[in-house]
Amino acid sequence: MIVYIYLILLLLVLLSVLSGINLCLRCPKRIRILSFTILILLFLRYVSLFIMYINNNIGYMYIMKSIYFVYLACIPISGIIILYILSRKDNIKFLHITIGSFTFLIMYFLLFSKVSVSIGIIKDAALGYSMNLQNNFLYIGIVYFALNIVLLMFYIDIINSSNTNRTGIILAVCSSLSTVTSVILPYIGIEIMPQYLWGEFMWIITLNYCLSKVKKK
């Protein structure tokens, strides 16, 4: 049963990313470039998850580690794009967000060129392989957790603003909470799936919603 849930969720995430790519291509150029980059990287991540599911040879899986964990960089950047769209603050230059985001991505890839990972079969062997950070890099998960908490605080702060899209804010809050929960579960020993994708799925749905509103404007 878990296998089918995981595969359905993986398929839904892939379709949502493709939908987002289509939406961002119709957005203003300043938002399009960063959103497109993030969605392409996430698309490659979910392809790598599918490979980890169907492949039995772990010999070359290690080269996918930067893409496998790219959500650690892409989800916070997606959260910032969402915050920019929802807050509607004209005094914030999206160019600065773009420069900061690409700098963050470069730092991520430089870091993960040195990170050690372990590959193993998930408890339910039918789910294929999973990739985990070694103990000395567990702080990366803690940083990811903290970034989602910070985003959650920003969303709560603007939820009562008169010009805020309430639906978008609710989606963003749910995305943050879902991701925080998915980060906590492995630390308390609950590992049912190779990756808990519902948080990422929520973020992509929220980003798609916000991109659709930019398109309409």
Side-chain angles (χ1 to χ4, degrees):
M1 183 65 177
I2 295 297
V3 176
Y4 295 115
I5 293 173
Y6 179 69
L7 290 176
I8 290 171
L9 189 55
L10 184 54
L11 179 61
L12 287 174
V13 174
L14 276 167
L15 292 174
S16 297
V17 169
L18 291 174
S19 175
I21 290 172
N22 182 58
L23 285 169
C24 76
L25 292 176
R26 304 175 188 178
C27 290
K29 185 177 180 180
R30 57 179 181 165
I31 295 177
R32 182 195 318 153
I33 294 173
L34 182 58
S35 300
F36 181 80
T37 302
I38 294 304
L39 289 168
I40 288 294
L41 289 174
L42 286 173
F43 178 80
L44 293 175
R45 161 171 160 74
Y46 304 126
V47 170
S48 76
L49 292 183
F50 185 71
I51 292 173
M52 296 287 283
Y53 170 72
I54 64 173
N55 186 55
N56 292 319
N57 181 7
I58 67 172
Y60 64 87
M61 288 184 183
Y62 289 96
I63 65 175
M64 298 191 301
K65 65 180 181 181
S66 294
I67 292 298
Y68 186 91
F69 291 104
V70 79
Y71 72 97
L72 294 170
C74 289
I75 294 302
I77 293 173
S78 298
I80 293 171
I81 296 172
I82 291 166
L83 182 62
Y84 173 81
I85 295 173
L86 293 177
S87 63
R88 301 180 181 180
K89 292 185 178 180
D90 296 331
N91 59 328
I92 299 175
K93 299 295 184 182
F94 195 78
L95 176 61
H96 298 161
I97 294 175
T98 301
I99 293 172
S101 296
F102 277 106
T103 302
F104 185 48
L105 283 173
I106 292 170
M107 292 172 60
Y108 164 82
F109 282 107
L110 288 175
L111 173 62
F112 268 77
S113 66
K114 305 179 184 299
V115 165
S116 298
V117 299
S118 60
I119 296 177
I121 298 178
I122 196 70
K123 291 179 181 179
D124 185 344
L127 287 166
Y129 290 90
S130 65
M131 194 178 297
N132 297 295
L133 297 171
Q134 298 286 16
N135 290 335
N136 57 327
F137 287 104
L138 288 179
Y139 65 87
I140 295 174
I142 296 173
V143 171
Y144 181 63
F145 175 87
L147 288 173
N148 277 275
I149 291 293
V150 171
L151 285 169
L152 177 60
M153 293 171 63
F154 274 115
Y155 295 133
I156 292 174
D157 183 59
I158 66 172
I159 198 168
N160 292 319
S161 299
S162 58
N163 63 339
T164 299
N165 184 310
R166 188 61 63 89
T167 301
I169 287 293
I170 291 173
L171 285 171
V173 168
C174 291
S175 300
S176 299
L177 292 174
S178 297
T179 301
V180 166
T181 303
S182 68
V183 172
I184 292 173
L185 289 178
Y187 283 93
I188 61 176
I190 302 177
E191 293 190 70
I192 302 172
M193 299 181 181
Q195 291 282 293
Y196 291 105
L197 296 175
W198 64 73
E200 297 169 54
F201 180 56
M202 284 295 301
W203 277 118
I204 295 167
I205 291 295
T206 306
L207 179 61
N208 288 358
Y209 174 81
C210 293
L211 291 175
S212 71
K213 295 305 177 183
V214 172
K215 177 176 70 80
K216 288 178 181 178
K217 287 193 282 187

